[in-house]
Amino acid sequence: MNRLCVSIFLLLILTVLPISQVLADELIVYSARKEHLIKPLFDVYTKETGVKISYVTDKAGPLLQRLKAEGKNSRADLLLTVDAGNLWHAANEGILQPVESATLTNNIPAHLRDPGQQWFGLSLRARTIVYSTDRVEPKQLSSYEALGDPTWKNRLILRTSKKVYNQSLVAMLIAEHGETDTEQIVESWVENLAAAPFSNDTKTMEAILAGQGDVGIVNTYYFGRLLKKNPDIRLALYWPNQDSTGVHVNVSGAGVTKYARNKAVAVKFLEWLSSEKAQNLFADANMEYPVNPGVEAHEYVKSWGRFKASEQNLAKAGELQSNAIKLMDRAGYR
Ligand code: FE
């Protein structure tokens, strides 16, 4: 009798509440962003809405592979990752789905999201020029292209071309200049290298500090991290291409997975991430810029100066990525 009662009770609940609603209070996020950057944000959202957020963190490549392998059986609702190149791949591999949302299209400028609405930039980082304040005058600098000028012979420090950030930078140069001119630009950089390319942006800056070279190209937040550790650091950022194409920017962003179990909840969460409160939390956690033009960057980030950013659609970073990789190889950029 007891068992029958329980069964009837369960049946009643399931009849009254559609399955989607039973599961509606939980989201599963696959994140290539590190736990300490996302967990505080998830906690705020859970507190505000009651939506529980579980997550898995890994590098972008393995997460994309995992989503593909899991297919329909995947429990992920949302993919969160860095670099438009990675987001573009996720869309191109068919593991995301389009999202129609006026909130997202209002809060996020068109060039920072997929034209097909499958991914949305959520925080912005600039990949800009860094220079030694001991050995370089900012007036000597002008553009990414001019880092290939003979003035910088044996003075340029670059990170490896294997990193997606540089692949996106070169892809965006191709979008602006075409392949032939971009190849010449990259060749001229290689000509000027002071040392073999470094494995990361921090090492790039440390090499400049050590006097191995005088100028480099890095993401703004790595500069911010180094500056926080050592405020007296003899390095500064320079905003190139202010009379032309603008500074190369990239995003961290997210998309709803193709087989999301809670699409509506995932979209709501994405919309919240583009809102003022979340934009500050999300950008500030990694010393980045909000993508929402109505939201101010943190004072600390603003202290690096204002700049004109490129408004070329970041989907190009993905579309032209394989061309960029081949081009860098031809140009001898390792
Ligand atoms: Fe990074």
Side-chain angles (χ1 to χ4, degrees), residues 34 82 125 159 163 165 201 219 221-222 225 286:
K34 301 215 170 65
V82 294
R125 61 278 298 282
R159 181 182 188 159
K163 182 68 192 181
Y165 300 157
D201 284 12
N219 281 2
Y221 56 90
Y222 290 113
R225 283 181 206 172
N286 192 35

mmCIF file of all heavy atoms in Angstrom, residues 34 82 125 159 163 165 201 219 221-222 225 286, ligand 1:
data_model
loop_
_atom_site.group_PDB
_atom_site.id
_atom_site.type_symbol
_atom_site.label_atom_id
_atom_site.label_comp_id
_atom_site.label_asym_id
_atom_site.label_seq_id
_atom_site.Cartn_x
_atom_site.Cartn_y
_atom_site.Cartn_z
ATOM 1 N N LYS A 34 39.405 29.060 -16.159
ATOM 2 C CA LYS A 34 39.787 28.415 -14.907
ATOM 3 C C LYS A 34 38.735 28.635 -13.819
ATOM 4 O O LYS A 34 38.001 29.617 -13.822
ATOM 5 C CB LYS A 34 41.137 28.960 -14.449
ATOM 6 C CG LYS A 34 42.214 28.711 -15.492
ATOM 7 C CD LYS A 34 43.555 28.425 -14.869
ATOM 8 C CE LYS A 34 44.542 27.935 -15.913
ATOM 9 N NZ LYS A 34 44.858 28.958 -16.926
ATOM 10 N N VAL A 82 37.927 30.614 -24.103
ATOM 11 C CA VAL A 82 38.614 31.838 -24.522
ATOM 12 C C VAL A 82 38.939 31.759 -25.999
ATOM 13 O O VAL A 82 39.056 30.674 -26.563
ATOM 14 C CB VAL A 82 39.923 32.081 -23.735
ATOM 15 C CG1 VAL A 82 39.619 32.364 -22.282
ATOM 16 C CG2 VAL A 82 40.882 30.917 -23.869
ATOM 17 N N ARG A 125 39.694 41.224 -24.332
ATOM 18 C CA ARG A 125 41.097 41.462 -24.044
ATOM 19 C C ARG A 125 41.738 42.024 -25.298
ATOM 20 O O ARG A 125 41.330 41.668 -26.407
ATOM 21 C CB ARG A 125 41.815 40.186 -23.594
ATOM 22 C CG ARG A 125 41.839 39.024 -24.588
ATOM 23 C CD ARG A 125 40.600 38.154 -24.627
ATOM 24 N NE ARG A 125 40.294 37.454 -23.392
ATOM 25 C CZ ARG A 125 40.949 36.348 -23.017
ATOM 26 N NH1 ARG A 125 41.871 35.806 -23.789
ATOM 27 N NH2 ARG A 125 40.623 35.764 -21.887
ATOM 28 N N ARG A 159 55.649 35.550 -28.738
ATOM 29 C CA ARG A 159 55.237 34.254 -28.227
ATOM 30 C C ARG A 159 55.106 33.307 -29.430
ATOM 31 O O ARG A 159 54.925 33.756 -30.566
ATOM 32 C CB ARG A 159 53.878 34.405 -27.541
ATOM 33 C CG ARG A 159 53.335 33.126 -26.943
ATOM 34 C CD ARG A 159 51.974 33.391 -26.334
ATOM 35 N NE ARG A 159 51.489 32.243 -25.594
ATOM 36 C CZ ARG A 159 50.549 32.315 -24.655
ATOM 37 N NH1 ARG A 159 49.999 33.470 -24.346
ATOM 38 N NH2 ARG A 159 50.143 31.238 -24.011
ATOM 39 N N LYS A 163 50.277 29.256 -30.376
ATOM 40 C CA LYS A 163 49.201 29.714 -29.488
ATOM 41 C C LYS A 163 48.083 30.351 -30.307
ATOM 42 O O LYS A 163 48.319 31.170 -31.185
ATOM 43 C CB LYS A 163 49.764 30.725 -28.482
ATOM 44 C CG LYS A 163 48.750 31.230 -27.488
ATOM 45 C CD LYS A 163 48.287 30.150 -26.524
ATOM 46 C CE LYS A 163 47.059 30.605 -25.740
ATOM 47 N NZ LYS A 163 46.585 29.602 -24.774
ATOM 48 N N TYR A 165 46.104 32.644 -29.664
ATOM 49 C CA TYR A 165 46.045 34.118 -29.625
ATOM 50 C C TYR A 165 46.787 34.732 -30.818
ATOM 51 O O TYR A 165 46.330 35.718 -31.400
ATOM 52 C CB TYR A 165 46.671 34.676 -28.346
ATOM 53 C CG TYR A 165 46.039 34.226 -27.049
ATOM 54 C CD1 TYR A 165 46.758 34.260 -25.863
ATOM 55 C CD2 TYR A 165 44.723 33.796 -27.001
ATOM 56 C CE1 TYR A 165 46.195 33.878 -24.658
ATOM 57 C CE2 TYR A 165 44.152 33.400 -25.800
ATOM 58 C CZ TYR A 165 44.902 33.443 -24.632
ATOM 59 O OH TYR A 165 44.342 33.055 -23.443
ATOM 60 N N ASP A 201 52.930 34.599 -22.784
ATOM 61 C CA ASP A 201 53.022 36.066 -22.767
ATOM 62 C C ASP A 201 53.870 36.570 -21.594
ATOM 63 O O ASP A 201 54.576 37.571 -21.713
ATOM 64 C CB ASP A 201 51.615 36.686 -22.666
ATOM 65 C CG ASP A 201 50.865 36.632 -24.000
ATOM 66 O OD1 ASP A 201 51.323 35.920 -24.919
ATOM 67 O OD2 ASP A 201 49.820 37.303 -24.114
ATOM 68 N N ASN A 219 48.708 39.879 -24.430
ATOM 69 C CA ASN A 219 47.344 40.181 -23.989
ATOM 70 C C ASN A 219 47.413 41.075 -22.754
ATOM 71 O O ASN A 219 48.243 40.852 -21.864
ATOM 72 C CB ASN A 219 46.584 38.896 -23.642
ATOM 73 C CG ASN A 219 46.064 38.179 -24.866
ATOM 74 O OD1 ASN A 219 46.296 38.617 -26.000
ATOM 75 N ND2 ASN A 219 45.382 37.077 -24.647
ATOM 76 N N TYR A 221 45.724 41.401 -20.004
ATOM 77 C CA TYR A 221 45.605 40.934 -18.621
ATOM 78 C C TYR A 221 46.889 40.298 -18.103
ATOM 79 O O TYR A 221 47.150 40.312 -16.908
ATOM 80 C CB TYR A 221 44.405 39.981 -18.455
ATOM 81 C CG TYR A 221 44.432 38.789 -19.368
ATOM 82 C CD1 TYR A 221 45.048 37.603 -18.999
ATOM 83 C CD2 TYR A 221 43.850 38.860 -20.634
ATOM 84 C CE1 TYR A 221 45.090 36.522 -19.852
ATOM 85 C CE2 TYR A 221 43.883 37.779 -21.489
ATOM 86 C CZ TYR A 221 44.506 36.614 -21.106
ATOM 87 O OH TYR A 221 44.548 35.547 -21.966
ATOM 88 N N TYR A 222 47.724 39.745 -19.019
ATOM 89 C CA TYR A 222 49.025 39.212 -18.563
ATOM 90 C C TYR A 222 49.917 40.358 -18.095
ATOM 91 O O TYR A 222 50.650 40.237 -17.110
ATOM 92 C CB TYR A 222 49.730 38.432 -19.678
ATOM 93 C CG TYR A 222 49.053 37.133 -20.010
ATOM 94 C CD1 TYR A 222 48.442 36.942 -21.240
ATOM 95 C CD2 TYR A 222 49.023 36.077 -19.093
ATOM 96 C CE1 TYR A 222 47.810 35.751 -21.561
ATOM 97 C CE2 TYR A 222 48.394 34.891 -19.401
ATOM 98 C CZ TYR A 222 47.793 34.728 -20.634
ATOM 99 O OH TYR A 222 47.160 33.551 -20.946
ATOM 100 N N ARG A 225 48.653 41.314 -14.685
ATOM 101 C CA ARG A 225 49.087 40.392 -13.628
ATOM 102 C C ARG A 225 50.520 40.680 -13.194
ATOM 103 O O ARG A 225 50.834 40.694 -12.003
ATOM 104 C CB ARG A 225 49.042 38.946 -14.137
ATOM 105 C CG ARG A 225 47.648 38.375 -14.178
ATOM 106 C CD ARG A 225 47.692 36.942 -14.666
ATOM 107 N NE ARG A 225 46.427 36.576 -15.277
ATOM 108 C CZ ARG A 225 46.214 35.441 -15.934
ATOM 109 N NH1 ARG A 225 47.195 34.568 -16.076
ATOM 110 N NH2 ARG A 225 45.035 35.176 -16.446
ATOM 111 N N ASN A 286 39.538 38.727 -14.308
ATOM 112 C CA ASN A 286 40.762 38.458 -15.086
ATOM 113 C C ASN A 286 41.358 39.743 -15.648
ATOM 114 O O ASN A 286 42.101 39.705 -16.623
ATOM 115 C CB ASN A 286 40.441 37.466 -16.221
ATOM 116 C CG ASN A 286 41.690 36.915 -16.869
ATOM 117 O OD1 ASN A 286 42.707 36.701 -16.195
ATOM 118 N ND2 ASN A 286 41.641 36.698 -18.167
HETATM 119 FE FE FE B 1 45.252 33.700 -21.644
#
